[in-house]
Amino acid sequence: MPVRTVGIAMNGVTGRMGYRQHLVRSILAIRDQGGVELPDGTRVVPEPILVGRNETKLRDIAARHGLDRYGTDLAAVLAEPDVEVYFDAQVTSAREKGILAAIAAGKHVYTEKPLAESVEGARALARAACAAGIVDGVVMDKLFLPGLRKLRRLIDGGFFGRILSIRGEFGYWVFEGDWQSAQRPSWNYRAADGGGIALDMFAHWNYVLEDLFAPVRAVTARVATHIPERVDESGRSYVADADDAAYGIFELDGGIVAQINSSWCVRVNRDELVEFQVDGTHGSAVAGLRRCRFQHRAGTPKPVWNPDLATPEPFREQWQEVPDNEEFDNGFKVQWEQYLRAVVAGEPFRYDFAAAVRGVQLAELGYTSSREGRRVEIPAVDA
């Protein structure tokens, strides 16, 4: 069986997401399984070359996984003849520069989101990628979660009838870093580094809403910085000037209304860290990271509001579970496999820079809505 090796410059693997989800659970897992099989039987095997600012951390990661290629000089790594793909998982503020360097070097680019800090920057990257003729892709991992794949099964099967509304809850309490260490890096809470939950999560919600339901046409949002001071990884207090909560109402084509709360300042009282309830004329469903439960109109109870009596209905027990029916692999890995097929075999890859521009635009207009206290319509954007 023929083997095709693809060198991938992986920038930002010293961070939590870049290391765990992209290097270990995606690229190394794909390599360990023998690569990605193409229609002609060829196996595409990724070869990671680690890039970052801290040589000691890179050396430790390389030694841990038996890798021998790493460096702190991005230009030198991009000059390697076998490097075909550049992957970026850096802090948001550094992403645009790294991607432009990779495009100039003629490399295909796959990147974490958001694509850039502004619509202007994101559009510039999309245009540069198009002009260079590269395969550009952006991580849109939420679409590959088992819970949302089960939700898609219901949508594609016509279960909901006419979809009316979506209600989403995302978040958890991120410790301030003083008496317990924070679960997220401190740059997430500094505006100068590209932090902010709206910039982070609205980019996710745009592709989730757009891909599963319909394009977003208007946004009304309120962002907040609930915790103004935090403690960083070195034990130093710092001003947290980026938003740590965002509350949004999104109007979609077809009259669908989506309400999504995103917060790093909320204690979880739900089954999973993210949940979406979809209500339609024929039925409803609640999808999370892994589970998806549904209730058809024929099985919908008929509660009556009576504040004088305890409610006897066991509401949660009245929902059915969507069965797995298949084995769900790691969502990041599944999308990496699709991207590698696009690079080598020319298969279409829909999660491109143009789609990512719309995610950045939604975040930018969400900030405008919050700042000006008004509903903002979303114009068509030419990437």
Side-chain angles (χ1 to χ4, degrees), residues 166-170 205 248 258-262 274-277:
I166 302 131
R167 187 173 72 251
E169 291 285 344
F170 165 81
W205 306 150
Q259 306 170 70
I260 306 178
N261 294 332
S262 311
V274 63
E275 287 187 344
F276 297 94
Q277 176 160 334

Side-chain angles (χ1 to χ4, degrees), residues 351-374:
Y351 312 111
D352 58 8
F353 281 12
V357 170
R358 295 191 292 275
V360 177
Q361 177 184 243
L362 182 61
E364 194 168 278
L365 295 181
Y367 283 118
T368 298
S369 172
S370 180
R371 184 173 58 252
E372 299 180 1
R374 64 182 179 91

Side-chain angles (χ1 to χ4, degrees), residues 150 153 292 294 321-326 328:
K150 294 174 185 177
R153 192 187 303 164
C292 184
F294 66 96
E321 193 87 20
V322 177
D324 287 346
N325 284 0
E326 61 180 297
F328 296 104

Side-chain angles (χ1 to χ4, degrees), residues 162-166 213-217 249-258 279 375:
R162 181 168 61 88
I163 293 176
L164 308 174
S165 63
I166 302 131
F213 304 103
V216 183
R217 298 307 183 196
I249 300 174
F250 309 98
E251 300 172 40
L252 281 57
D253 273 353
I256 301 171
V257 177
D279 291 301
R375 172 182 177 272

Side-chain angles (χ1 to χ4, degrees), residues 144 149 329-339 341:
F144 299 89
R149 291 174 66 183
D329 204 348
N330 178 282
F332 290 89
K333 176 173 174 282
V334 171
Q335 195 179 0
W336 261 109
E337 291 172 338
Q338 289 187 8
Y339 180 75
R341 291 190 187 98

